[in-house]
Amino acid sequence: MLIGTAGHIDHGKTTLVRALTGVDTTHLPEEKQRGITIELGYAYTPLPGSERVLGFIDVPGHERFVPTMLMGAAGIDYALLVVAADDGVMPQTREHLAIVHLLGIRRGAVAITKCDRVEPARVAEVGAEVEALLAGTRLAGSPVFPVAAVSGEGVAELRAHLDEVAAAESGPVVRGGLRLVADRRFAIAGAGTVITGTVHAGKVQVGDQALLARPDGFSREVRVRGLHVNNRKAEAGGPGSRCAVNLVGIEYREIERGDWLLTPALARPTDRLDLRLALLPEAPRKLGQWTSVTLHHAGGHAMARLALLDGALEAGGLGPGGDGLVQAVLDRPIFACHGDRIVIRDAAGRETLGGGSVLDPFAPARHRRRPERLALLAALEQPDAAARLAALLEAAPHGLDIDELAAAHNLPDEAWRELLPAAELVQVRPARRLFSASNWAKLGAQVLVKLGAYHEVFTDEPGVERERLRRMCAPQLPSAAFLALLEALLAEGRLARAGSAWHLPQHKVELSEADRKRADALLALLAAGGFDPPWVRDMATANAIPESEVRQLLRRLAMRGEVFQPVRDLFYTRDTMAQLVAIVAELAAFDGRIRAAEFRDRIAIGRKRAIQLLEFFDRVGYTRRVGEGARRVHLLRGEPPV
């Protein structure tokens, strides 16, 4: 169990930790000289009759070091609020207690220190004051222990209570990938780079490969060479553990405080967070639209502007003691997951205003207040993970990106699969996207309805090209997922395709006799041209047909799959395109790559035309360009267009 101190400066937090553990947590010369805590201090002591360890984080009490206190408090299991009997409740007593409350810490105790300096009546008075202060917080009803750390009075009773609470703790539940924030870094002779931090999720284990990253883009792949957990050599450390991690693959000077040791899939920075935010009752004012604040998170802090999303906007702002949905737009990215706790202070960083929890760490920049978006946020507020994911899928008509889902909720593939019934899911593997079965069915029905309406208006057209159809039906759906939807409908016989045109199976369009005659004449000219067919203007002249009519007829043929159009006004017959596809496949047979110069030499019609054809193959997904500059290289990737 990890215990964090809280309380006003000079109320005896460090002295009390030393009395409880025998460890002096001050280590900086300036701390010893000034007699105050500036940096986070750590102490460990074994639990009686157990191999387990009780850990303490000693935080600074001065108002200038509240950001440091916040970083230390972010990972604790149990709060130890320290109040001096002579001073009583002071400003940082209130602020530290508010922070503990906002971080969601529900367990704790109070130590009234320096009891040997005052009369018993004063101790009783401070005790009553503390109990009243706790009443409106998550620590309401916590036990209160009068102590005198220097003489030892009451210390044994407090330690016995902490031991009892820790002994009743079950082992940590390991969920998701590793998340550890580095709060110190140094080098040890013969070992190399070491970072220390608290494990927020997952597990760190000797031999693991991980990523040491910060949200600004810096990252290094590292290996865990050695590990100390709660000041003891260990093979693994789970959530809530204080770890010293010996890393291979990075110099300690490259590491900064607030860097993360992560499972690589979680290294997705974000600068927009949708939050459920609550203001403290003593907050000095309302928060209006786009109020600037300082947002504190486990990895540090950033400046943020708050966009109100629900009723608070109509009410003129979020008032003291109120709560609401907000979007925080940050001035720099952070790493965050659903459920992370945040604390906000004023823009100058002088006063704590409120806090809350992250609902969506990858919030959208647009349409943030639409009813469907608010419904999705309501789904994200469900506490049960399985119910939350099921509701989230139902509230996402265009599905969820699997990688983003895993990163947002720290749920690897096997974890979210266990939470969701397979019968209620549709997974589009090429697009890495997940749908509820009902939403997938609704999307399919929408495609059929839109196509039916289109056929009624444009009876002489064979159908709709895929991207245009996507814009008509589901513009927010990624292209790969929409293609998978169309192919599923095609496989079920509910949809048909003629060339690039998608249509309902019952919709048939044939060219008139006159158009068919013209089309055959144009196809003959294109076939005769081989790899260098005539342009639209040349065919119009040769057949004494207006250029616009030739262009329109060829486009109709393209939608029927009889010709292909690599660039404007240039068409290839199906047979000629099949020959070009065969040449590309032959050139790629050795290593999967097609070099523009080799393709140009094979078709013998010049570099410009060769590039146009390769770019056409890129657009239709048959190849992908991987070379840069003059040396063009294309990688064979998908299915041929014919």
Side-chain angles (χ1 to χ4, degrees), residues 67 70 291-297 300-306 330-331 342-354:
L70 274 158
T291 297
S292 292
V293 297
T294 307
L295 184 144
H296 294 263
H297 180 251
H301 62 274
M303 296 301 298
R305 292 181 303 134
L306 302 181
L330 312 180
D331 70 338
I342 61 95
V343 171
I344 63 165
R345 308 184 82 213
D346 63 354
R350 296 194 186 98
E351 190 171 18
T352 299
L353 303 176

PDB file of all heavy atoms in Angstrom, residues 67 70 291-297 300-306 330-331 342-354:
ATOM      1  N   PRO A  67       2.209  21.898  -7.468  1.00  0.00           N
ATOM      2  CA  PRO A  67       2.355  20.998  -8.615  1.00  0.00           C
ATOM      3  C   PRO A  67       3.166  19.745  -8.287  1.00  0.00           C
ATOM      4  O   PRO A  67       2.842  18.650  -8.764  1.00  0.00           O
ATOM      5  CB  PRO A  67       3.070  21.870  -9.664  1.00  0.00           C
ATOM      6  CG  PRO A  67       2.656  23.259  -9.327  1.00  0.00           C
ATOM      7  CD  PRO A  67       2.594  23.290  -7.828  1.00  0.00           C
ATOM      8  N   LEU A  70       0.936  17.461  -6.335  1.00  0.00           N
ATOM      9  CA  LEU A  70      -0.027  16.814  -7.211  1.00  0.00           C
ATOM     10  C   LEU A  70       0.581  15.604  -7.915  1.00  0.00           C
ATOM     11  O   LEU A  70      -0.061  14.562  -8.040  1.00  0.00           O
ATOM     12  CB  LEU A  70      -0.535  17.820  -8.246  1.00  0.00           C
ATOM     13  CG  LEU A  70      -1.710  18.688  -7.790  1.00  0.00           C
ATOM     14  CD1 LEU A  70      -1.790  19.969  -8.602  1.00  0.00           C
ATOM     15  CD2 LEU A  70      -2.997  17.909  -7.926  1.00  0.00           C
ATOM     16  N   THR A 291     -12.702  29.578 -20.560  1.00  0.00           N
ATOM     17  CA  THR A 291     -11.864  30.024 -19.439  1.00  0.00           C
ATOM     18  C   THR A 291     -10.509  29.330 -19.503  1.00  0.00           C
ATOM     19  O   THR A 291     -10.411  28.132 -19.771  1.00  0.00           O
ATOM     20  CB  THR A 291     -12.540  29.679 -18.101  1.00  0.00           C
ATOM     21  OG1 THR A 291     -13.766  30.398 -18.002  1.00  0.00           O
ATOM     22  CG2 THR A 291     -11.646  30.043 -16.924  1.00  0.00           C
ATOM     23  N   SER A 292      -9.446  30.072 -19.238  1.00  0.00           N
ATOM     24  CA  SER A 292      -8.094  29.509 -19.205  1.00  0.00           C
ATOM     25  C   SER A 292      -7.776  29.011 -17.802  1.00  0.00           C
ATOM     26  O   SER A 292      -8.037  29.714 -16.811  1.00  0.00           O
ATOM     27  CB  SER A 292      -7.050  30.555 -19.624  1.00  0.00           C
ATOM     28  OG  SER A 292      -7.195  30.873 -20.988  1.00  0.00           O
ATOM     29  N   VAL A 293      -7.236  27.817 -17.713  1.00  0.00           N
ATOM     30  CA  VAL A 293      -6.874  27.213 -16.429  1.00  0.00           C
ATOM     31  C   VAL A 293      -5.553  26.460 -16.594  1.00  0.00           C
ATOM     32  O   VAL A 293      -5.062  26.265 -17.701  1.00  0.00           O
ATOM     33  CB  VAL A 293      -7.958  26.221 -15.934  1.00  0.00           C
ATOM     34  CG1 VAL A 293      -9.278  26.938 -15.687  1.00  0.00           C
ATOM     35  CG2 VAL A 293      -8.142  25.075 -16.928  1.00  0.00           C
ATOM     36  N   THR A 294      -5.009  26.022 -15.463  1.00  0.00           N
ATOM     37  CA  THR A 294      -3.875  25.101 -15.470  1.00  0.00           C
ATOM     38  C   THR A 294      -4.419  23.713 -15.150  1.00  0.00           C
ATOM     39  O   THR A 294      -5.080  23.527 -14.126  1.00  0.00           O
ATOM     40  CB  THR A 294      -2.831  25.502 -14.413  1.00  0.00           C
ATOM     41  OG1 THR A 294      -2.485  26.872 -14.590  1.00  0.00           O
ATOM     42  CG2 THR A 294      -1.572  24.653 -14.558  1.00  0.00           C
ATOM     43  N   LEU A 295      -4.165  22.770 -16.031  1.00  0.00           N
ATOM     44  CA  LEU A 295      -4.673  21.406 -15.849  1.00  0.00           C
ATOM     45  C   LEU A 295      -3.528  20.504 -15.411  1.00  0.00           C
ATOM     46  O   LEU A 295      -2.506  20.398 -16.090  1.00  0.00           O
ATOM     47  CB  LEU A 295      -5.303  20.900 -17.146  1.00  0.00           C
ATOM     48  CG  LEU A 295      -5.971  19.520 -17.092  1.00  0.00           C
ATOM     49  CD1 LEU A 295      -7.224  19.490 -17.970  1.00  0.00           C
ATOM     50  CD2 LEU A 295      -5.014  18.408 -17.543  1.00  0.00           C
ATOM     51  N   HIS A 296      -3.704  19.857 -14.258  1.00  0.00           N
ATOM     52  CA  HIS A 296      -2.690  18.965 -13.703  1.00  0.00           C
ATOM     53  C   HIS A 296      -3.103  17.515 -13.923  1.00  0.00           C
ATOM     54  O   HIS A 296      -4.254  17.133 -13.688  1.00  0.00           O
ATOM     55  CB  HIS A 296      -2.509  19.223 -12.204  1.00  0.00           C
ATOM     56  CG  HIS A 296      -1.932  20.569 -11.903  1.00  0.00           C
ATOM     57  ND1 HIS A 296      -0.590  20.767 -11.659  1.00  0.00           N
ATOM     58  CD2 HIS A 296      -2.526  21.784 -11.809  1.00  0.00           C
ATOM     59  CE1 HIS A 296      -0.378  22.050 -11.425  1.00  0.00           C
ATOM     60  NE2 HIS A 296      -1.535  22.688 -11.500  1.00  0.00           N
ATOM     61  N   HIS A 297      -2.135  16.725 -14.348  1.00  0.00           N
ATOM     62  CA  HIS A 297      -2.348  15.314 -14.643  1.00  0.00           C
ATOM     63  C   HIS A 297      -1.151  14.567 -14.076  1.00  0.00           C
ATOM     64  O   HIS A 297      -0.154  15.183 -13.659  1.00  0.00           O
ATOM     65  CB  HIS A 297      -2.472  15.138 -16.167  1.00  0.00           C
ATOM     66  CG  HIS A 297      -2.697  13.742 -16.626  1.00  0.00           C
ATOM     67  ND1 HIS A 297      -1.724  13.023 -17.295  1.00  0.00           N
ATOM     68  CD2 HIS A 297      -3.766  12.925 -16.518  1.00  0.00           C
ATOM     69  CE1 HIS A 297      -2.204  11.830 -17.578  1.00  0.00           C
ATOM     70  NE2 HIS A 297      -3.437  11.733 -17.118  1.00  0.00           N
ATOM     71  N   GLY A 300       2.292  15.702 -15.218  1.00  0.00           N
ATOM     72  CA  GLY A 300       2.690  17.103 -15.165  1.00  0.00           C
ATOM     73  C   GLY A 300       1.486  18.004 -15.357  1.00  0.00           C
ATOM     74  O   GLY A 300       0.356  17.648 -15.010  1.00  0.00           O
ATOM     75  N   HIS A 301       1.701  19.178 -15.940  1.00  0.00           N
ATOM     76  CA  HIS A 301       0.595  20.102 -16.116  1.00  0.00           C
ATOM     77  C   HIS A 301       0.727  20.824 -17.455  1.00  0.00           C
ATOM     78  O   HIS A 301       1.791  20.878 -18.057  1.00  0.00           O
ATOM     79  CB  HIS A 301       0.519  21.111 -14.966  1.00  0.00           C
ATOM     80  CG  HIS A 301       1.721  21.994 -14.849  1.00  0.00           C
ATOM     81  ND1 HIS A 301       2.840  21.624 -14.162  1.00  0.00           N
ATOM     82  CD2 HIS A 301       1.980  23.238 -15.340  1.00  0.00           C
ATOM     83  CE1 HIS A 301       3.740  22.588 -14.214  1.00  0.00           C
ATOM     84  NE2 HIS A 301       3.244  23.576 -14.929  1.00  0.00           N
ATOM     85  N   ALA A 302      -0.401  21.388 -17.901  1.00  0.00           N
ATOM     86  CA  ALA A 302      -0.458  22.136 -19.150  1.00  0.00           C
ATOM     87  C   ALA A 302      -1.498  23.234 -18.999  1.00  0.00           C
ATOM     88  O   ALA A 302      -2.433  23.125 -18.197  1.00  0.00           O
ATOM     89  CB  ALA A 302      -0.826  21.213 -20.314  1.00  0.00           C
ATOM     90  N   MET A 303      -1.350  24.283 -19.777  1.00  0.00           N
ATOM     91  CA  MET A 303      -2.385  25.306 -19.833  1.00  0.00           C
ATOM     92  C   MET A 303      -3.530  24.773 -20.696  1.00  0.00           C
ATOM     93  O   MET A 303      -3.312  24.049 -21.663  1.00  0.00           O
ATOM     94  CB  MET A 303      -1.841  26.602 -20.433  1.00  0.00           C
ATOM     95  CG  MET A 303      -0.753  27.254 -19.601  1.00  0.00           C
ATOM     96  SD  MET A 303      -1.315  27.664 -17.921  1.00  0.00           S
ATOM     97  CE  MET A 303      -2.633  28.832 -18.286  1.00  0.00           C
ATOM     98  N   ALA A 304      -4.755  25.115 -20.316  1.00  0.00           N
ATOM     99  CA  ALA A 304      -5.914  24.604 -21.048  1.00  0.00           C
ATOM    100  C   ALA A 304      -7.002  25.667 -21.095  1.00  0.00           C
ATOM    101  O   ALA A 304      -7.108  26.514 -20.210  1.00  0.00           O
ATOM    102  CB  ALA A 304      -6.451  23.345 -20.373  1.00  0.00           C
ATOM    103  N   ARG A 305      -7.789  25.607 -22.155  1.00  0.00           N
ATOM    104  CA  ARG A 305      -9.018  26.404 -22.250  1.00  0.00           C
ATOM    105  C   ARG A 305     -10.190  25.434 -22.204  1.00  0.00           C
ATOM    106  O   ARG A 305     -10.155  24.380 -22.830  1.00  0.00           O
ATOM    107  CB  ARG A 305      -9.038  27.228 -23.540  1.00  0.00           C
ATOM    108  CG  ARG A 305      -7.985  28.334 -23.561  1.00  0.00           C
ATOM    109  CD  ARG A 305      -8.061  29.152 -24.848  1.00  0.00           C
ATOM    110  NE  ARG A 305      -7.915  28.307 -26.018  1.00  0.00           N
ATOM    111  CZ  ARG A 305      -8.705  28.373 -27.092  1.00  0.00           C
ATOM    112  NH1 ARG A 305      -9.714  29.223 -27.122  1.00  0.00           N
ATOM    113  NH2 ARG A 305      -8.501  27.580 -28.122  1.00  0.00           N
ATOM    114  N   LEU A 306     -11.234  25.810 -21.466  1.00  0.00           N
ATOM    115  CA  LEU A 306     -12.355  24.906 -21.218  1.00  0.00           C
ATOM    116  C   LEU A 306     -13.568  25.301 -22.046  1.00  0.00           C
ATOM    117  O   LEU A 306     -14.054  26.433 -21.952  1.00  0.00           O
ATOM    118  CB  LEU A 306     -12.726  24.909 -19.736  1.00  0.00           C
ATOM    119  CG  LEU A 306     -11.618  24.518 -18.748  1.00  0.00           C
ATOM    120  CD1 LEU A 306     -12.159  24.547 -17.325  1.00  0.00           C
ATOM    121  CD2 LEU A 306     -11.052  23.143 -19.073  1.00  0.00           C
ATOM    122  N   LEU A 330      -5.721  21.743 -24.726  1.00  0.00           N
ATOM    123  CA  LEU A 330      -4.436  21.962 -24.073  1.00  0.00           C
ATOM    124  C   LEU A 330      -3.448  22.678 -24.988  1.00  0.00           C
ATOM    125  O   LEU A 330      -3.507  22.547 -26.218  1.00  0.00           O
ATOM    126  CB  LEU A 330      -3.844  20.619 -23.640  1.00  0.00           C
ATOM    127  CG  LEU A 330      -4.769  19.661 -22.883  1.00  0.00           C
ATOM    128  CD1 LEU A 330      -4.032  18.382 -22.529  1.00  0.00           C
ATOM    129  CD2 LEU A 330      -5.314  20.326 -21.628  1.00  0.00           C
ATOM    130  N   ASP A 331      -2.507  23.387 -24.359  1.00  0.00           N
ATOM    131  CA  ASP A 331      -1.487  24.063 -25.156  1.00  0.00           C
ATOM    132  C   ASP A 331      -0.314  23.147 -25.494  1.00  0.00           C
ATOM    133  O   ASP A 331       0.557  23.512 -26.267  1.00  0.00           O
ATOM    134  CB  ASP A 331      -0.979  25.319 -24.432  1.00  0.00           C
ATOM    135  CG  ASP A 331      -0.131  24.993 -23.196  1.00  0.00           C
ATOM    136  OD1 ASP A 331      -0.274  23.863 -22.660  1.00  0.00           O
ATOM    137  OD2 ASP A 331       0.673  25.855 -22.782  1.00  0.00           O
ATOM    138  N   ILE A 342      -7.922  14.407 -13.043  1.00  0.00           N
ATOM    139  CA  ILE A 342      -7.223  15.670 -13.293  1.00  0.00           C
ATOM    140  C   ILE A 342      -7.658  16.687 -12.245  1.00  0.00           C
ATOM    141  O   ILE A 342      -8.737  16.565 -11.638  1.00  0.00           O
ATOM    142  CB  ILE A 342      -7.476  16.201 -14.716  1.00  0.00           C
ATOM    143  CG1 ILE A 342      -8.994  16.484 -14.953  1.00  0.00           C
ATOM    144  CG2 ILE A 342      -6.971  15.226 -15.764  1.00  0.00           C
ATOM    145  CD1 ILE A 342      -9.391  17.900 -14.706  1.00  0.00           C
ATOM    146  N   VAL A 343      -6.810  17.678 -12.039  1.00  0.00           N
ATOM    147  CA  VAL A 343      -7.114  18.795 -11.139  1.00  0.00           C
ATOM    148  C   VAL A 343      -6.871  20.073 -11.915  1.00  0.00           C
ATOM    149  O   VAL A 343      -5.889  20.174 -12.667  1.00  0.00           O
ATOM    150  CB  VAL A 343      -6.229  18.754  -9.876  1.00  0.00           C
ATOM    151  CG1 VAL A 343      -6.391  20.027  -9.056  1.00  0.00           C
ATOM    152  CG2 VAL A 343      -6.574  17.534  -9.030  1.00  0.00           C
ATOM    153  N   ILE A 344      -7.767  21.040 -11.779  1.00  0.00           N
ATOM    154  CA  ILE A 344      -7.545  22.323 -12.437  1.00  0.00           C
ATOM    155  C   ILE A 344      -7.314  23.401 -11.386  1.00  0.00           C
ATOM    156  O   ILE A 344      -7.939  23.414 -10.322  1.00  0.00           O
ATOM    157  CB  ILE A 344      -8.705  22.717 -13.366  1.00  0.00           C
ATOM    158  CG1 ILE A 344     -10.012  22.900 -12.591  1.00  0.00           C
ATOM    159  CG2 ILE A 344      -8.886  21.701 -14.491  1.00  0.00           C
ATOM    160  CD1 ILE A 344     -11.080  23.621 -13.381  1.00  0.00           C
ATOM    161  N   ARG A 345      -6.377  24.286 -11.701  1.00  0.00           N
ATOM    162  CA  ARG A 345      -6.113  25.469 -10.890  1.00  0.00           C
ATOM    163  C   ARG A 345      -6.257  26.684 -11.791  1.00  0.00           C
ATOM    164  O   ARG A 345      -6.389  26.551 -13.019  1.00  0.00           O
ATOM    165  CB  ARG A 345      -4.716  25.396 -10.264  1.00  0.00           C
ATOM    166  CG  ARG A 345      -4.466  24.084  -9.522  1.00  0.00           C
ATOM    167  CD  ARG A 345      -3.109  24.076  -8.838  1.00  0.00           C
ATOM    168  NE  ARG A 345      -3.148  24.774  -7.567  1.00  0.00           N
ATOM    169  CZ  ARG A 345      -2.125  25.458  -7.059  1.00  0.00           C
ATOM    170  NH1 ARG A 345      -0.991  25.571  -7.735  1.00  0.00           N
ATOM    171  NH2 ARG A 345      -2.231  26.035  -5.875  1.00  0.00           N
ATOM    172  N   ASP A 346      -6.250  27.862 -11.210  1.00  0.00           N
ATOM    173  CA  ASP A 346      -6.413  29.048 -12.046  1.00  0.00           C
ATOM    174  C   ASP A 346      -5.223  29.194 -12.998  1.00  0.00           C
ATOM    175  O   ASP A 346      -4.212  28.500 -12.871  1.00  0.00           O
ATOM    176  CB  ASP A 346      -6.598  30.304 -11.185  1.00  0.00           C
ATOM    177  CG  ASP A 346      -5.379  30.617 -10.328  1.00  0.00           C
ATOM    178  OD1 ASP A 346      -4.436  29.803 -10.305  1.00  0.00           O
ATOM    179  OD2 ASP A 346      -5.372  31.667  -9.680  1.00  0.00           O
ATOM    180  N   ALA A 347      -5.359  30.094 -13.973  1.00  0.00           N
ATOM    181  CA  ALA A 347      -4.350  30.216 -15.020  1.00  0.00           C
ATOM    182  C   ALA A 347      -2.980  30.568 -14.450  1.00  0.00           C
ATOM    183  O   ALA A 347      -1.945  30.175 -15.015  1.00  0.00           O
ATOM    184  CB  ALA A 347      -4.777  31.268 -16.050  1.00  0.00           C
ATOM    185  N   ALA A 348      -2.949  31.283 -13.338  1.00  0.00           N
ATOM    186  CA  ALA A 348      -1.675  31.644 -12.720  1.00  0.00           C
ATOM    187  C   ALA A 348      -1.124  30.520 -11.857  1.00  0.00           C
ATOM    188  O   ALA A 348       0.003  30.612 -11.357  1.00  0.00           O
ATOM    189  CB  ALA A 348      -1.843  32.911 -11.878  1.00  0.00           C
ATOM    190  N   GLY A 349      -1.900  29.459 -11.648  1.00  0.00           N
ATOM    191  CA  GLY A 349      -1.431  28.331 -10.851  1.00  0.00           C
ATOM    192  C   GLY A 349      -1.386  28.602  -9.367  1.00  0.00           C
ATOM    193  O   GLY A 349      -0.631  27.974  -8.632  1.00  0.00           O
ATOM    194  N   ARG A 350      -2.235  29.508  -8.877  1.00  0.00           N
ATOM    195  CA  ARG A 350      -2.187  29.881  -7.461  1.00  0.00           C
ATOM    196  C   ARG A 350      -3.305  29.250  -6.635  1.00  0.00           C
ATOM    197  O   ARG A 350      -3.207  29.173  -5.421  1.00  0.00           O
ATOM    198  CB  ARG A 350      -2.281  31.407  -7.318  1.00  0.00           C
ATOM    199  CG  ARG A 350      -1.124  32.182  -7.933  1.00  0.00           C
ATOM    200  CD  ARG A 350      -1.130  33.626  -7.456  1.00  0.00           C
ATOM    201  NE  ARG A 350      -0.121  34.420  -8.127  1.00  0.00           N
ATOM    202  CZ  ARG A 350      -0.358  35.204  -9.182  1.00  0.00           C
ATOM    203  NH1 ARG A 350      -1.584  35.284  -9.666  1.00  0.00           N
ATOM    204  NH2 ARG A 350       0.608  35.903  -9.732  1.00  0.00           N
ATOM    205  N   GLU A 351      -4.397  28.842  -7.280  1.00  0.00           N
ATOM    206  CA  GLU A 351      -5.577  28.444  -6.522  1.00  0.00           C
ATOM    207  C   GLU A 351      -6.219  27.221  -7.176  1.00  0.00           C
ATOM    208  O   GLU A 351      -6.443  27.190  -8.386  1.00  0.00           O
ATOM    209  CB  GLU A 351      -6.577  29.609  -6.503  1.00  0.00           C
ATOM    210  CG  GLU A 351      -7.727  29.403  -5.559  1.00  0.00           C
ATOM    211  CD  GLU A 351      -8.553  30.683  -5.435  1.00  0.00           C
ATOM    212  OE1 GLU A 351      -8.434  31.567  -6.311  1.00  0.00           O
ATOM    213  OE2 GLU A 351      -9.317  30.781  -4.462  1.00  0.00           O
ATOM    214  N   THR A 352      -6.525  26.208  -6.371  1.00  0.00           N
ATOM    215  CA  THR A 352      -7.196  25.011  -6.882  1.00  0.00           C
ATOM    216  C   THR A 352      -8.683  25.295  -7.042  1.00  0.00           C
ATOM    217  O   THR A 352      -9.341  25.758  -6.114  1.00  0.00           O
ATOM    218  CB  THR A 352      -6.988  23.827  -5.920  1.00  0.00           C
ATOM    219  OG1 THR A 352      -5.588  23.545  -5.822  1.00  0.00           O
ATOM    220  CG2 THR A 352      -7.704  22.587  -6.433  1.00  0.00           C
ATOM    221  N   LEU A 353      -9.204  25.007  -8.251  1.00  0.00           N
ATOM    222  CA  LEU A 353     -10.595  25.322  -8.569  1.00  0.00           C
ATOM    223  C   LEU A 353     -11.496  24.094  -8.573  1.00  0.00           C
ATOM    224  O   LEU A 353     -12.653  24.162  -8.176  1.00  0.00           O
ATOM    225  CB  LEU A 353     -10.677  25.990  -9.951  1.00  0.00           C
ATOM    226  CG  LEU A 353      -9.848  27.256 -10.153  1.00  0.00           C
ATOM    227  CD1 LEU A 353      -9.967  27.740 -11.586  1.00  0.00           C
ATOM    228  CD2 LEU A 353     -10.295  28.339  -9.183  1.00  0.00           C
ATOM    229  N   GLY A 354     -10.979  22.975  -9.042  1.00  0.00           N
ATOM    230  CA  GLY A 354     -11.824  21.785  -9.145  1.00  0.00           C
ATOM    231  C   GLY A 354     -11.053  20.652  -9.791  1.00  0.00           C
ATOM    232  O   GLY A 354      -9.825  20.689  -9.918  1.00  0.00           O
TER     233      GLY A 354
END
